[in-house]
Amino acid sequence: MSEDSHLKNSIDLVAARAKLTGAGAPRLWQSLEGLSGTPQFQEFSEYEFPPSAAKGNSEINRRDVLKLMAASAALTGLSACTKLPTEKIVPYVRPPEEILAGRPLFYATSLFEAGVATGVLVESHTGRPTKIEGNPEHPGSLGSSDIFNQAAILTFWDPDRSQSVVYDGRLSTWTDFAAELGNRRTLKGAGMRILTKTITSPTLGAQMRALLAELPEAKWHQYEVCSGDSVREGARLAFGRPVNTVYHFEQADVIVSLDADFLTCGAGHVRYARDFATRRDLSAGPASKLNRLYVAESMPTATGAVSDHRLPVRSADIDDLARQLAAASGVAVPPSANASPKIPSAWVEAVGRDLAAHRGSSIVIVGEHQPPLVHALAHAMNAALGNVGKTVVYTESIEASPVNQLESLRELVNDLNSGQVELLLILGGNPVYDAPADFDFATALQKAKLRVHSGLYQDETALLCHWHAPAAHSLESWSDGRAFDGTAGIVQPLIAPLYDGHSAHEIIALFTGDAGKSGHELVRSYWQSQRPEKDKAFEALWETSLHDGLVSGTALPVISVAPHADFVSLGRTAAASGDPSAIEVVFRPDPSVGDGAFSNNSWLQELPKPITRLTWDNAIMMGPATAQQLGVTTGDYLTLTLAGRRVDAGAYLVPGHADNSVTLHLGFGRTRGGTVGTGPGFNSYLLRTSSAPWIAPGAQIAKTGKKYSFASTQQQYNIDLDGHPVEEESSAAVGHGGEHGRDLVRIATMEEFSKDPSFAQNPDDEKNKGLTIYPGFKYEGYAWGMSIDLNRCVGCNACVIACQSENNIAVVGKDQVARGRAMHWIRIDTYFRGNLDNPEMYYEPLPCMQCENAPCEYVCPVGATTHNAEGLNDMTYNRCVGTRYCSNNCPYKVRRFNFYLYSDYKTPSLYGMRNPNVTVRSRGVMEKCTYCVQRINAAKIRSEEENRLIRDGEIITACQSACPTEAIVFGNINDPNSKVAKLKAQTRDYGLLEDLNTRPRTTYLARVRNPNPEIHS
Amino acid sequence: MPQIFHRSTNFISRLTIYGAVVIVGALGLALYTIAMSPWYTEQNVKRQQPVPFSHRHHAGELGIDCRYCHTSVEKSSFAGVPPTQTCMTCHSQIWTNASMLEPVRASYRDDKSLEWIRVNALPDFVYFDHSIHVAKGVGCTTCHGQIAEMPLTQRAGTLYMSWCLECHRQPEKYLRPKSEVFNPYYDPPSGAKQLELGKKLMAEYHVQSLQTCSTCHR
Amino acid sequence: MASEGSHNTVGIVDPDPIIGPGHTFETVTDKISAIVLTRPVTPGWVFGLLIAFSALMLLNLTITLLMIKGVGIWGIRVPTAWGFAIVNFVWWIGIGHAGTLISAILLLLHQKWRTSINRFAEAMTLFAVMCAGMFPLLHMGRPWLFFYLMPYPNPMWTWPQFRSPLVWDVFAVSTYLTVSLLFWFVGLIPDLATLRDRAKHKAAKMIYGMLSMGWRGSAVHWSRYETASLLLAGLATPLVVSVHTVVSFDFTIGIIPGWHTTIFPPYFVAGAIYSGFAMVLTLAIPIRKFYHLEDLVTARHLDIMAKVMLATGLIVAYGYLIEAFLAFYSGDQYEIYMMENRFHGPYAPLYWMLISCNIIIPQLLWSRRVRRNVGLLFVLSLVVNMGMWLERFVIIVISLSRDFIPSSWGMYYPTRWDWATYIGTFGLFFTLFFLFIRFLPMISIVEVRGLVHETNEEKGHS
């Protein structure tokens, strides 16, 4: 991915149209086959392989037997014992422009989370989108991305996606669908309701307004689980209107997060993580000015884990904490109705002082699920602390129509129940599954005369609708949308819709007389109408916008607003947490599958969640103290009753979780979630009511006596009540030197760091380096190495999914994960220090260390893993016979083995998704992180052809490019000026288990905390 | 006590002993021969194509440059197989109604791709890149043989790993000046001269002898 | 033990003979060859064979499944990527040591008592090595590519990676198998000839005839026979030591705490002989009972074997002690943790079981009464067999399950297919053994005749 292909202007529309119309799903394959001989074709030759049946279950049936015998035979073929199959070359008839077989193209576009757009670059191999990277030009990305962006590619190619228009369970056509809806225009919209998700798309917004103008009696409702209602309401409370808040973490010295996981979720989190990390940079040594992060939260989050002070409090008590803090920072506010004894006043005072000491350079930020009042308090605090205009700025809302979505949905449900609804049009979203339980949306829905649904999947909602039309995925449709700061990004398709998908634009157009207009025309004409530029000038603007992925200068202007004086009286106080010993239930979107929109995405399902390392499940998460008091432990199957509603689920102990509080993650227990999404976990929406959508007091928990087995990638999570394993394993891991310290994570406080800048150095390591009877190999030319900054890493997992996507890593399923066979090439180890109730938490991303004295190499009997001249530890799959000795002998245990045929050779649509430059591993083969050798080779070939050396930063590994905090840096350590070499020169640099003299090429920069000396945690 | 076996069995027993040795040897030899046979490697095996395209005619007699059809050979891993359009650039003018070319015209008419039979196929786990080889002075004919003499295209080498290593271990044996890369009639200097030239070119083009696994296997 | 033979020279009848009194050439030949030729098929034998054979079929089933689905059917995982397969491999190889030791080393040491047990000890070795040999193949992820481990000219221009002990294994084990096979067969030839001459049935005559390769018992034959056995004995002797040394390298070469230990080679060899003799006892005791061979395999034999077990058992015990001592002495935190983990980690019970099976209980063998008590001896031999299996489990699984980085520690639990593979190899082993005792002389007629001859001569002198 050299610069030029990055910035390739790929927007000759004629060509684009031609290409896309030329590449409808079936023909796409044909033209792809034309590239046989390019690595792409290798995906297709897997037609030779019969499909895999081995997904962990050890039962077999006759057909599998035959299939797999054939498979083995075919695999043997790879060892050149049978003839290669005859292949066909099917070239284009008329070649599309720009496409150069074997060279990827990158297109800039945007992806959405809760309506907020994040800019991405999508890698396309001859018309197939295969990989998603961040868009460096886009303010919401700056070149980085998150797990949802990365995993979107799998959702796009998901074979379970809805593939055709359905009417009353029978196949229908888009034409009929269009006709049916078109007829409704005459009714002036009487009894017509449209339910959408949050919309930031200017075009769609305009279309909706046009529609409402044309059909005045129609009503537009919005509902999305994580739409940030209380954020909106908080702003309304404070400022009288729902303004949008933008934070500047790069300028904040002190950050107080009240239950906000701003580093891994919510609008702009990718950007915020970057800004935050710039203040965790220690390249200036002890002189560097670190920020300080206080987090008060119930469930430990990624953000909580990197904080300098974490205070576990019940979410309901945050209200009280906020009031105390507000008072401390000079906001007139009555004390909470329900003061919580759990809040240490010393802590509050210390934080208050720290805030006061950093007027104008501090931030108070509140979690989406906190009640509006707390948000309002935060606004007041930021104002009182003089942060507004500096670290906190306000803009108009980025939404097309900012409404209280819960109320909006309530209104719709009322109309439905009173039978006023003739036509209900649901564009995206799955309210039957995720609407509050007390709405009983399923029943209400069926009172609508005609129910129309458009979505990516035929989900729970589609099932209850007359019409269902497959929606087009962002990667195959035209649209636009605003980023966290209002910057408008253009969404352009990389490929014609795989299935008969149509965007919301096209559906709304059916009512606004634009019927038949393509998404492209709609979006383009909207912008044409908005911009002063005309004709040629607009043409140019349009092309640059498409190329950059955003319309420059569309970031919303900063506005100045002042909070009401007496907003407190206006705001309802928080849901009374009642007696502090009563157990509260906190609902949270799942860190991996969100509100359920991603539940059919196996990458995300199998992704170990931050802190808990849990996969394929949600659980009743609780702290050790609460567990002790309830007499339960991880794996106990419990019954949780909340206001007459109940669910049964497994208990999962989380060190550092607040007492008398349990966290339930949403997004599981789907009944029509697709082959992957249906099944895992339990549906916590069944407990979630509109009166207490996020924090619900008074839960009753009882044991069922049954057990539930979880699949976690870190054994230590099977902790006993005394939490012994955690103590043992963590103390074995953390802590310096010592007989029982393995010194895996090296930590100091800022104080210790300034006293001893080289605290991370272990004298023994140096001693060991010399201990070899062989003369070391001299690396002329390149010597690849990696540096991982533990001080920057926020454990967001983006690297894990990015790696999975780049390297065609297979998914193995819950059973296999439980058996310790997860395949991730990079994992994020989590360790704890201190007591169970409020431990310090540490992340350690662990890819292959690419040791110079690699223990794996000399034990391989066939030389399938060998050292190359640039210090890479090559893994040659086709030579591997699977003795697994290398894995045994790897002290870091980063090698992954295909115990079964994990790669899916069965599903054609997945062929399209795979990276053509990486072999798809078959059964019985060892694999591991390669430093993205395919990218290294590509860059080398390019540079050699141009008679130059590879530039520093020209090769970016998948994990590195995804990392929002730039914690991972890769490069040539032979070049003293390379970024990585400079990082490795820092005093914080240390190698893992260096006392084994493995000489790892991947080294770490030690973690430095910046605690407030006034607080002793 | 009567004899169980006739004298002759002595001979048989000896035979079996020596025979065993011979058979094992023969078996090994047989396997080797098969592995090296054109039947198995498809070396020098003519493939029937939908259109009997002749490199001899186009590249040889007409002297059309390789890159006219294999457009991406200098830019991409894949040399590129010409789209029907390319054929039609000429054949819309000449041989416009030769029955031999009907499939080509049909393809262009019906917008339906021609389906060529692949001649040089590598296993899925091997990553070969045309552009870099061309850029480093490896001629087309070095791997593809006397293409300009082939009425029907055939595989010139075994495409075994050993066949690749042949050159990867001693590039000097095969390199030629960049100017000659696309010359189908290039005639390398003999023996010592070639080595001398090769060494010179290696230095000039910065050619490495890459033999680490990840060069080709990823 | 050189004195063993010599105190016969005192003119009185040996109170504790290595061959029952009153045996002449004929009686010996009759007795042993009768088992093969004239003795009718007993229901006991059929029953035993059936059980063994069904276990063998279980093995078939498992291997088929293994080939179809992959090694995932076993409990192996990361970090514990080696499980039962390798444990069993090492265990069977170990058992395969007694045979060659008895027939080769003891032959060179002129231990007369060996003659009546060496034949089936060798057979046992052969079958055990067959069982062992399967595992390295089966445990591969892609067994159909086993030939990658062998050096042969190929179009990839690649060789095996000779630094890997797994490659050494290929040679060590295959050589061992070949030599033991030859040794065993050469030893059989004269007996086969005897059977040929005594067989009534034509087919039997033919088959034994072919197998005996025209043996006529001429002086030339005998001299060649002697030379051959001596040469083979010479060849086999180093193998007894080398094979298990190489096997132990599979672990010592690794860097895993609990593997990377210099004491391994000697104590693996000792352990091998330990378990080998245990297995010989396990087989000999029932056989001599069922086939009434108490006068050929005498209490004295059992006594001697028990002594050998005691001796090797002590060496093994020493190995354990040194292992533990060095772990702590090294001051290396990983080594220390490894030992602590054995003492009171999740697998601790197995470790303590191993200690009691291999060290504590066998101390009973100090008492002559125990050594002479056939029943007790049989039980002891079983205990030691189990102990030696546990030893390999402890070394392989416990070490792997908790190595360097706590986050990737993980427990290994055998699946039913792990057990099926293990039990299956018993099936293979005993099927072969049952066939052996039915169709071949399980005691060397020739050598026992020699024994009779010598004892009679000594009597003559007095």
Side-chain angles (χ1 to χ4, degrees), chain A residues 53-54 57-60 64-65 68-69 72 75-76 78-79 81 713-716 728-729 732-733 738-742 744 818-821 827 829-831 846 855 857-863 877-885 887-893 895-897 899-901 922-925 992-993 995-996 998, chain C residues 64-83 85-86 139-149 154-156 158-167 249-256 259 331-334 336-338 340 400 402-411 413 415-417:
Chain A
N57 57 331
S58 42
E59 286 65 38
I60 51 167
D64 298 342
V65 173
L68 283 145
M69 278 176 160
S72 322
L75 294 172
T76 325
L78 297 190
S79 71
C81 276
T713 54
Q714 227 170 304
Q715 292 272 313
Q716 71 198 39
E728 183 192 312
E729 295 190 12
E739 194 177 341
H740 289 297
R742 298 190 175 206
L744 304 177
R819 290 169 189 273
R821 297 170 181 178
R827 62 173 198 264
D829 288 349
T830 309
Y831 293 110
L846 217 89
E857 285 168 2
Y858 67 88
V859 295
C860 174
V862 293
Y877 311 119
N878 45 302
R879 179 69 177 170
C880 177
V881 297
T883 65
R884 305 183 297 285
Y885 199 167
S887 169
N888 287 346
N889 213 35
C890 171
Y892 308 97
K893 290 290 175 283
R895 290 181 157 265
R896 300 286 172 254
F897 187 68
F899 289 91
Y900 289 119
L901 186 58
S922 65
R923 159 196 149 195
V925 171
L992 214 50
L993 301 176
D995 48 348
L996 299 177
T998 49
Chain C
T64 320
L65 184 63
L66 193 66
M67 293 302 147
I68 293 166
K69 302 206 68 170
V71 288
I73 64 170
W74 288 336
I76 47 176
R77 56 174 293 164
V78 176
T80 323
W82 282 358
I86 302 299
H139 100 293
M140 281 201 254
R142 304 199 289 172
W144 50 88
L145 294 182
F146 69 94
F147 54 86
Y148 278 8
L149 275 82
N154 61 64
M156 293 176 286
T158 50
W159 292 104
Q161 212 269 88
F162 288 106
R163 288 182 302 167
S164 168
L166 297 185
V167 177
F249 287 165
D250 290 350
F251 307 105
T252 53
I253 298 297
I255 67 170
I256 301 301
W259 284 19
D332 177 286
Q333 54 171 321
Y334 310 114
I336 293 170
Y337 182 81
M338 177 273 295
E340 284 173 347
L400 283 176
R402 291 191 167 190
D403 59 348
F404 294 98
I405 294 194
S407 69
S408 40
W409 286 351
M411 295 288 285
Y413 302 105
T415 65
R416 54 192 151 148
W417 296 113

Side-chain angles (χ1 to χ4, degrees), chain A residues 26 55 105 209 253 307 379 531 861 884 982 998:
Chain A
K55 266 272 177 273
L105 294 175
R209 281 191 294 278
D253 299 323
S307 65
H379 291 305
R531 305 294 302 193
R884 305 183 297 285
K982 291 209 181 81
T998 49

Side-chain angles (χ1 to χ4, degrees), chain A residues 140-158:
Chain A
S141 156
L142 298 185
S144 314
S145 49
D146 66 4
I147 54 173
F148 301 113
N149 301 149
Q150 290 292 340
I153 197 76
L154 179 57
T155 303
F156 171 73
W157 290 104
D158 185 348

Side-chain angles (χ1 to χ4, degrees), chain A residues 506-587:
Chain A
E506 292 164 84
I507 294 176
I508 295 301
L510 295 173
F511 298 93
T512 56
D514 297 328
K517 279 202 187 157
S518 70
H520 169 241
E521 291 163 303
L522 292 165
V523 175
R524 191 166 185 278
S525 51
Y526 168 79
W527 284 102
Q528 207 153 11
S529 66
Q530 292 303 301
R531 305 294 302 193
E533 298 90 342
K534 291 279 157 275
D535 314 330
K536 282 246 162 294
F538 177 76
E539 203 55 52
L541 169 87
W542 180 248
E543 296 218 352
T544 19
S545 310
L546 286 174
H547 168 274
D548 301 348
L550 55 91
V551 187
S552 53
T554 45
L556 292 173
V558 173
I559 57 175
S560 67
V561 284
H564 290 285
D566 60 344
F567 65 87
V568 181
S569 55
L570 303 172
R572 282 187 297 110
T573 51
S577 57
D579 130 53
S581 66
I583 295 180
E584 69 170 9
V585 173
V586 182
F587 299 97

